[in-house]
């Protein structure tokens, strides 16, 4: 496979054909922030937090480094004032959905993002697609997918498949940058449970789920 040289943050980097900018940067220890990227999965480019400035063939453009291929002679900047502003707004938008997500809180600190800038819509999902793609591409189970479109788009376990496959797997849970996936799975389990399992235990007359201790 042919090799070529590009420049990232002023450093000469030798990359192989087919490498993305994120991969080329990583090979020399330059960290570009990512949320939807995973080494085992096909590049996706959903969160755009990896946006960098790339100059090639006389054109300077903003590109998603996790999907954009490294090119011979390309000059890449991963940390500029312009990029910091873009990442700040992206983090603020995602925090409207998942204000307490640890990875977002770290990025918010790094870029000075205001977690309360946008009206809260706590879906707890930033649609990075890691769970869906991991299940499809690595596990080949298709136990989770997207439902709806546009602003109503969300992920959902497919109860029939998830009920059989997920219990002994759970491999996608730690990939979730908002840690919400486990809760979604538990919810699906509860919804899929037969009525006698879901009903309150004997001894409680109300509709809560305690075992008779709520008074
Ligand atoms: S836990 Fe379920 S949804 Fe997640 S990877 Fe495993 S089979 Fe797929």
């Amino acid at each position: 496979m042919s090799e070529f040289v590009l420049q990232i943050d002023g450093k000469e980097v030798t990359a192989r054909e087919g490498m993305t900018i994120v991969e080329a940067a990583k090979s020399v220890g330059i960290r570009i922030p990512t949320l939807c990227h995973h080494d085992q999965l096909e590049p996706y480019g959903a969160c755009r937090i990896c946006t960098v400035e790339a100059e090639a063939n006389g054109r300077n453009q903003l590109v998603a480094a996790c999907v954009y291929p490294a090119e011979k002679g390309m000059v890449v900047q991963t940390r500029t004032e312009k990029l910091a502003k873009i990442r700040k707004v992206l983090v603020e938008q995602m925090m409207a959905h998942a204000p307490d997500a640890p990875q977002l809180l770290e990025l918010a600190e790094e870029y000075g993002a205001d977690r309360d800038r946008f009206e809260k819509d706590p879906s707890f999902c930033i649609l990075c697609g890691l769970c869906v793609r991991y299940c499809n591409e690595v596990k080949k189970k298709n136990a989770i997918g997207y439902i709806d479109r546009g602003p109503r788009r969300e992920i959902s376990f497919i109860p029939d498949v998830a009920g059989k496959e997920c219990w002994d797997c759970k491999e996608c849970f730690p990939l979730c940058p908002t840690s919400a996936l486990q809760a979604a799975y538990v919810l699906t389990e509860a919804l899929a449970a037969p009525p006698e399992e879901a009903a309150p235990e004997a001894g409680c007359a109300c509709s809560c789920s305690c075992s008779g201790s709520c008074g």
Side-chain angles (χ1 to χ4, degrees), residues 131 134-135 139 141 143-144 157 165-166 169-173:
C131 53
Y134 186 86
C135 191
K139 299 300 292 183
K141 297 293 184 191
I144 187 165
F157 285 91
E165 304 290 349
C166 301
C169 174
K170 302 190 181 90
E171 287 178 29
C172 62
F173 288 15

mmCIF file with all atom_site columns, all heavy atoms in Angstrom, residues 131 134-135 139 141 143-144 157 165-166 169-173, ligand 1:
data_model
loop_
_atom_site.group_PDB
_atom_site.id
_atom_site.type_symbol
_atom_site.label_atom_id
_atom_site.label_alt_id
_atom_site.label_comp_id
_atom_site.label_asym_id
_atom_site.label_entity_id
_atom_site.label_seq_id
_atom_site.pdbx_PDB_ins_code
_atom_site.Cartn_x
_atom_site.Cartn_y
_atom_site.Cartn_z
_atom_site.occupancy
_atom_site.B_iso_or_equiv
_atom_site.pdbx_formal_charge
_atom_site.auth_seq_id
_atom_site.auth_comp_id
_atom_site.auth_asym_id
_atom_site.auth_atom_id
_atom_site.pdbx_PDB_model_num
ATOM   1   N  N   . CYS A 1 131 ? -24.164 2.404   18.898 1.00 0.00 ? 131 CYS A N   1
ATOM   2   C  CA  . CYS A 1 131 ? -24.839 1.161   19.306 1.00 0.00 ? 131 CYS A CA  1
ATOM   3   C  C   . CYS A 1 131 ? -25.432 0.450   18.087 1.00 0.00 ? 131 CYS A C   1
ATOM   4   O  O   . CYS A 1 131 ? -25.259 -0.762  17.912 1.00 0.00 ? 131 CYS A O   1
ATOM   5   C  CB  . CYS A 1 131 ? -25.917 1.455   20.342 1.00 0.00 ? 131 CYS A CB  1
ATOM   6   S  SG  . CYS A 1 131 ? -27.106 2.718   19.835 1.00 0.00 ? 131 CYS A SG  1
ATOM   7   N  N   . TYR A 1 134 ? -22.540 -0.817  15.841 1.00 0.00 ? 134 TYR A N   1
ATOM   8   C  CA  . TYR A 1 134 ? -21.808 -1.928  16.454 1.00 0.00 ? 134 TYR A CA  1
ATOM   9   C  C   . TYR A 1 134 ? -22.624 -3.216  16.360 1.00 0.00 ? 134 TYR A C   1
ATOM   10  O  O   . TYR A 1 134 ? -22.114 -4.280  16.011 1.00 0.00 ? 134 TYR A O   1
ATOM   11  C  CB  . TYR A 1 134 ? -21.476 -1.603  17.921 1.00 0.00 ? 134 TYR A CB  1
ATOM   12  C  CG  . TYR A 1 134 ? -20.603 -2.649  18.570 1.00 0.00 ? 134 TYR A CG  1
ATOM   13  C  CD1 . TYR A 1 134 ? -19.217 -2.586  18.456 1.00 0.00 ? 134 TYR A CD1 1
ATOM   14  C  CD2 . TYR A 1 134 ? -21.160 -3.706  19.272 1.00 0.00 ? 134 TYR A CD2 1
ATOM   15  C  CE1 . TYR A 1 134 ? -18.408 -3.560  19.032 1.00 0.00 ? 134 TYR A CE1 1
ATOM   16  C  CE2 . TYR A 1 134 ? -20.361 -4.685  19.844 1.00 0.00 ? 134 TYR A CE2 1
ATOM   17  C  CZ  . TYR A 1 134 ? -18.989 -4.607  19.718 1.00 0.00 ? 134 TYR A CZ  1
ATOM   18  O  OH  . TYR A 1 134 ? -18.199 -5.584  20.284 1.00 0.00 ? 134 TYR A OH  1
ATOM   19  N  N   . CYS A 1 135 ? -23.906 -3.099  16.663 1.00 0.00 ? 135 CYS A N   1
ATOM   20  C  CA  . CYS A 1 135 ? -24.759 -4.288  16.625 1.00 0.00 ? 135 CYS A CA  1
ATOM   21  C  C   . CYS A 1 135 ? -24.871 -4.842  15.198 1.00 0.00 ? 135 CYS A C   1
ATOM   22  O  O   . CYS A 1 135 ? -24.823 -6.050  14.985 1.00 0.00 ? 135 CYS A O   1
ATOM   23  C  CB  . CYS A 1 135 ? -26.139 -3.957  17.191 1.00 0.00 ? 135 CYS A CB  1
ATOM   24  S  SG  . CYS A 1 135 ? -27.121 -5.434  17.475 1.00 0.00 ? 135 CYS A SG  1
ATOM   25  N  N   . LYS A 1 139 ? -21.616 -7.323  15.671 1.00 0.00 ? 139 LYS A N   1
ATOM   26  C  CA  . LYS A 1 139 ? -22.386 -8.453  16.207 1.00 0.00 ? 139 LYS A CA  1
ATOM   27  C  C   . LYS A 1 139 ? -23.298 -9.096  15.164 1.00 0.00 ? 139 LYS A C   1
ATOM   28  O  O   . LYS A 1 139 ? -23.717 -10.237 15.307 1.00 0.00 ? 139 LYS A O   1
ATOM   29  C  CB  . LYS A 1 139 ? -23.227 -7.997  17.407 1.00 0.00 ? 139 LYS A CB  1
ATOM   30  C  CG  . LYS A 1 139 ? -22.445 -7.456  18.574 1.00 0.00 ? 139 LYS A CG  1
ATOM   31  C  CD  . LYS A 1 139 ? -21.476 -8.465  19.162 1.00 0.00 ? 139 LYS A CD  1
ATOM   32  C  CE  . LYS A 1 139 ? -22.208 -9.622  19.830 1.00 0.00 ? 139 LYS A CE  1
ATOM   33  N  NZ  . LYS A 1 139 ? -21.269 -10.548 20.454 1.00 0.00 ? 139 LYS A NZ  1
ATOM   34  N  N   . LYS A 1 141 ? -26.391 -8.599  14.616 1.00 0.00 ? 141 LYS A N   1
ATOM   35  C  CA  . LYS A 1 141 ? -27.639 -9.006  15.248 1.00 0.00 ? 141 LYS A CA  1
ATOM   36  C  C   . LYS A 1 141 ? -28.828 -8.105  14.885 1.00 0.00 ? 141 LYS A C   1
ATOM   37  O  O   . LYS A 1 141 ? -29.978 -8.521  15.007 1.00 0.00 ? 141 LYS A O   1
ATOM   38  C  CB  . LYS A 1 141 ? -27.488 -9.000  16.782 1.00 0.00 ? 141 LYS A CB  1
ATOM   39  C  CG  . LYS A 1 141 ? -26.464 -9.973  17.316 1.00 0.00 ? 141 LYS A CG  1
ATOM   40  C  CD  . LYS A 1 141 ? -26.881 -11.408 17.089 1.00 0.00 ? 141 LYS A CD  1
ATOM   41  C  CE  . LYS A 1 141 ? -25.892 -12.375 17.705 1.00 0.00 ? 141 LYS A CE  1
ATOM   42  N  NZ  . LYS A 1 141 ? -26.125 -13.745 17.299 1.00 0.00 ? 141 LYS A NZ  1
ATOM   43  N  N   . ALA A 1 143 ? -30.246 -5.788  16.590 1.00 0.00 ? 143 ALA A N   1
ATOM   44  C  CA  . ALA A 1 143 ? -31.183 -5.747  17.719 1.00 0.00 ? 143 ALA A CA  1
ATOM   45  C  C   . ALA A 1 143 ? -31.599 -4.330  18.074 1.00 0.00 ? 143 ALA A C   1
ATOM   46  O  O   . ALA A 1 143 ? -32.437 -4.128  18.948 1.00 0.00 ? 143 ALA A O   1
ATOM   47  C  CB  . ALA A 1 143 ? -30.548 -6.419  18.936 1.00 0.00 ? 143 ALA A CB  1
ATOM   48  N  N   . ILE A 1 144 ? -31.009 -3.352  17.407 1.00 0.00 ? 144 ILE A N   1
ATOM   49  C  CA  . ILE A 1 144 ? -31.300 -1.953  17.715 1.00 0.00 ? 144 ILE A CA  1
ATOM   50  C  C   . ILE A 1 144 ? -31.241 -1.171  16.407 1.00 0.00 ? 144 ILE A C   1
ATOM   51  O  O   . ILE A 1 144 ? -30.455 -1.482  15.525 1.00 0.00 ? 144 ILE A O   1
ATOM   52  C  CB  . ILE A 1 144 ? -30.284 -1.435  18.769 1.00 0.00 ? 144 ILE A CB  1
ATOM   53  C  CG1 . ILE A 1 144 ? -30.647 -0.037  19.243 1.00 0.00 ? 144 ILE A CG1 1
ATOM   54  C  CG2 . ILE A 1 144 ? -28.854 -1.475  18.280 1.00 0.00 ? 144 ILE A CG2 1
ATOM   55  C  CD1 . ILE A 1 144 ? -29.912 0.359   20.524 1.00 0.00 ? 144 ILE A CD1 1
ATOM   56  N  N   . PHE A 1 157 ? -34.449 -0.251  20.714 1.00 0.00 ? 157 PHE A N   1
ATOM   57  C  CA  . PHE A 1 157 ? -34.210 -1.692  20.627 1.00 0.00 ? 157 PHE A CA  1
ATOM   58  C  C   . PHE A 1 157 ? -35.405 -2.327  19.942 1.00 0.00 ? 157 PHE A C   1
ATOM   59  O  O   . PHE A 1 157 ? -36.535 -1.835  20.055 1.00 0.00 ? 157 PHE A O   1
ATOM   60  C  CB  . PHE A 1 157 ? -34.046 -2.294  22.018 1.00 0.00 ? 157 PHE A CB  1
ATOM   61  C  CG  . PHE A 1 157 ? -32.725 -1.976  22.644 1.00 0.00 ? 157 PHE A CG  1
ATOM   62  C  CD1 . PHE A 1 157 ? -32.574 -0.859  23.436 1.00 0.00 ? 157 PHE A CD1 1
ATOM   63  C  CD2 . PHE A 1 157 ? -31.622 -2.785  22.426 1.00 0.00 ? 157 PHE A CD2 1
ATOM   64  C  CE1 . PHE A 1 157 ? -31.351 -0.559  24.014 1.00 0.00 ? 157 PHE A CE1 1
ATOM   65  C  CE2 . PHE A 1 157 ? -30.396 -2.494  22.993 1.00 0.00 ? 157 PHE A CE2 1
ATOM   66  C  CZ  . PHE A 1 157 ? -30.259 -1.374  23.791 1.00 0.00 ? 157 PHE A CZ  1
ATOM   67  N  N   . GLU A 1 165 ? -31.189 -11.543 22.216 1.00 0.00 ? 165 GLU A N   1
ATOM   68  C  CA  . GLU A 1 165 ? -29.749 -11.368 21.970 1.00 0.00 ? 165 GLU A CA  1
ATOM   69  C  C   . GLU A 1 165 ? -29.008 -10.521 23.000 1.00 0.00 ? 165 GLU A C   1
ATOM   70  O  O   . GLU A 1 165 ? -27.811 -10.739 23.218 1.00 0.00 ? 165 GLU A O   1
ATOM   71  C  CB  . GLU A 1 165 ? -29.542 -10.706 20.591 1.00 0.00 ? 165 GLU A CB  1
ATOM   72  C  CG  . GLU A 1 165 ? -30.171 -11.451 19.439 1.00 0.00 ? 165 GLU A CG  1
ATOM   73  C  CD  . GLU A 1 165 ? -29.459 -12.767 19.150 1.00 0.00 ? 165 GLU A CD  1
ATOM   74  O  OE1 . GLU A 1 165 ? -28.368 -13.002 19.704 1.00 0.00 ? 165 GLU A OE1 1
ATOM   75  O  OE2 . GLU A 1 165 ? -30.022 -13.572 18.379 1.00 0.00 ? 165 GLU A OE2 1
ATOM   76  N  N   . CYS A 1 166 ? -29.679 -9.550  23.595 1.00 0.00 ? 166 CYS A N   1
ATOM   77  C  CA  . CYS A 1 166 ? -28.937 -8.532  24.349 1.00 0.00 ? 166 CYS A CA  1
ATOM   78  C  C   . CYS A 1 166 ? -28.509 -8.975  25.734 1.00 0.00 ? 166 CYS A C   1
ATOM   79  O  O   . CYS A 1 166 ? -27.487 -8.535  26.244 1.00 0.00 ? 166 CYS A O   1
ATOM   80  C  CB  . CYS A 1 166 ? -29.762 -7.251  24.453 1.00 0.00 ? 166 CYS A CB  1
ATOM   81  S  SG  . CYS A 1 166 ? -30.180 -6.564  22.851 1.00 0.00 ? 166 CYS A SG  1
ATOM   82  N  N   . CYS A 1 169 ? -25.138 -10.194 25.974 1.00 0.00 ? 169 CYS A N   1
ATOM   83  C  CA  . CYS A 1 169 ? -24.194 -9.452  25.145 1.00 0.00 ? 169 CYS A CA  1
ATOM   84  C  C   . CYS A 1 169 ? -23.798 -8.125  25.822 1.00 0.00 ? 169 CYS A C   1
ATOM   85  O  O   . CYS A 1 169 ? -22.737 -8.011  26.392 1.00 0.00 ? 169 CYS A O   1
ATOM   86  C  CB  . CYS A 1 169 ? -24.822 -9.205  23.773 1.00 0.00 ? 169 CYS A CB  1
ATOM   87  S  SG  . CYS A 1 169 ? -23.843 -8.141  22.706 1.00 0.00 ? 169 CYS A SG  1
ATOM   88  N  N   . LYS A 1 170 ? -24.665 -7.159  25.709 1.00 0.00 ? 170 LYS A N   1
ATOM   89  C  CA  . LYS A 1 170 ? -24.458 -5.825  26.325 1.00 0.00 ? 170 LYS A CA  1
ATOM   90  C  C   . LYS A 1 170 ? -23.169 -5.142  25.836 1.00 0.00 ? 170 LYS A C   1
ATOM   91  O  O   . LYS A 1 170 ? -22.664 -4.232  26.497 1.00 0.00 ? 170 LYS A O   1
ATOM   92  C  CB  . LYS A 1 170 ? -24.435 -5.915  27.855 1.00 0.00 ? 170 LYS A CB  1
ATOM   93  C  CG  . LYS A 1 170 ? -25.691 -6.512  28.476 1.00 0.00 ? 170 LYS A CG  1
ATOM   94  C  CD  . LYS A 1 170 ? -25.667 -6.337  29.984 1.00 0.00 ? 170 LYS A CD  1
ATOM   95  C  CE  . LYS A 1 170 ? -26.863 -6.937  30.649 1.00 0.00 ? 170 LYS A CE  1
ATOM   96  N  NZ  . LYS A 1 170 ? -26.726 -8.322  31.045 1.00 0.00 ? 170 LYS A NZ  1
ATOM   97  N  N   . GLU A 1 171 ? -22.619 -5.608  24.717 1.00 0.00 ? 171 GLU A N   1
ATOM   98  C  CA  . GLU A 1 171 ? -21.335 -5.061  24.263 1.00 0.00 ? 171 GLU A CA  1
ATOM   99  C  C   . GLU A 1 171 ? -21.439 -3.617  23.792 1.00 0.00 ? 171 GLU A C   1
ATOM   100 O  O   . GLU A 1 171 ? -20.463 -2.889  23.784 1.00 0.00 ? 171 GLU A O   1
ATOM   101 C  CB  . GLU A 1 171 ? -20.756 -5.935  23.143 1.00 0.00 ? 171 GLU A CB  1
ATOM   102 C  CG  . GLU A 1 171 ? -20.233 -7.248  23.650 1.00 0.00 ? 171 GLU A CG  1
ATOM   103 C  CD  . GLU A 1 171 ? -19.709 -8.136  22.534 1.00 0.00 ? 171 GLU A CD  1
ATOM   104 O  OE1 . GLU A 1 171 ? -19.240 -7.620  21.512 1.00 0.00 ? 171 GLU A OE1 1
ATOM   105 O  OE2 . GLU A 1 171 ? -19.790 -9.371  22.684 1.00 0.00 ? 171 GLU A OE2 1
ATOM   106 N  N   . CYS A 1 172 ? -22.633 -3.228  23.359 1.00 0.00 ? 172 CYS A N   1
ATOM   107 C  CA  . CYS A 1 172 ? -22.767 -1.852  22.880 1.00 0.00 ? 172 CYS A CA  1
ATOM   108 C  C   . CYS A 1 172 ? -22.964 -0.862  24.026 1.00 0.00 ? 172 CYS A C   1
ATOM   109 O  O   . CYS A 1 172 ? -22.774 0.336   23.840 1.00 0.00 ? 172 CYS A O   1
ATOM   110 C  CB  . CYS A 1 172 ? -23.922 -1.729  21.892 1.00 0.00 ? 172 CYS A CB  1
ATOM   111 S  SG  . CYS A 1 172 ? -25.524 -2.144  22.626 1.00 0.00 ? 172 CYS A SG  1
ATOM   112 N  N   . PHE A 1 173 ? -23.335 -1.344  25.194 1.00 0.00 ? 173 PHE A N   1
ATOM   113 C  CA  . PHE A 1 173 ? -23.637 -0.422  26.303 1.00 0.00 ? 173 PHE A CA  1
ATOM   114 C  C   . PHE A 1 173 ? -22.478 0.530   26.619 1.00 0.00 ? 173 PHE A C   1
ATOM   115 O  O   . PHE A 1 173 ? -22.676 1.742   26.694 1.00 0.00 ? 173 PHE A O   1
ATOM   116 C  CB  . PHE A 1 173 ? -24.023 -1.187  27.568 1.00 0.00 ? 173 PHE A CB  1
ATOM   117 C  CG  . PHE A 1 173 ? -25.378 -1.841  27.506 1.00 0.00 ? 173 PHE A CG  1
ATOM   118 C  CD1 . PHE A 1 173 ? -26.049 -2.007  26.314 1.00 0.00 ? 173 PHE A CD1 1
ATOM   119 C  CD2 . PHE A 1 173 ? -25.974 -2.307  28.655 1.00 0.00 ? 173 PHE A CD2 1
ATOM   120 C  CE1 . PHE A 1 173 ? -27.282 -2.618  26.258 1.00 0.00 ? 173 PHE A CE1 1
ATOM   121 C  CE2 . PHE A 1 173 ? -27.221 -2.916  28.615 1.00 0.00 ? 173 PHE A CE2 1
ATOM   122 C  CZ  . PHE A 1 173 ? -27.875 -3.075  27.412 1.00 0.00 ? 173 PHE A CZ  1
HETATM 123 S  S1  . LIG B 2 .   ? -26.483 -5.667  23.584 1.00 0.00 ? 1   LIG B S1  1
HETATM 124 FE FE1 . LIG B 2 .   ? -28.025 -6.098  21.996 1.00 0.00 ? 1   LIG B FE1 1
HETATM 125 S  S2  . LIG B 2 .   ? -28.083 -4.207  20.782 1.00 0.00 ? 1   LIG B S2  1
HETATM 126 FE FE2 . LIG B 2 .   ? -26.157 -4.168  21.938 1.00 0.00 ? 1   LIG B FE2 1
HETATM 127 S  S3  . LIG B 2 .   ? -24.626 -5.132  20.571 1.00 0.00 ? 1   LIG B S3  1
HETATM 128 FE FE3 . LIG B 2 .   ? -25.429 -6.763  21.878 1.00 0.00 ? 1   LIG B FE3 1
HETATM 129 S  S4  . LIG B 2 .   ? -27.105 -7.674  20.673 1.00 0.00 ? 1   LIG B S4  1
HETATM 130 FE FE4 . LIG B 2 .   ? -26.669 -5.664  19.777 1.00 0.00 ? 1   LIG B FE4 1
#
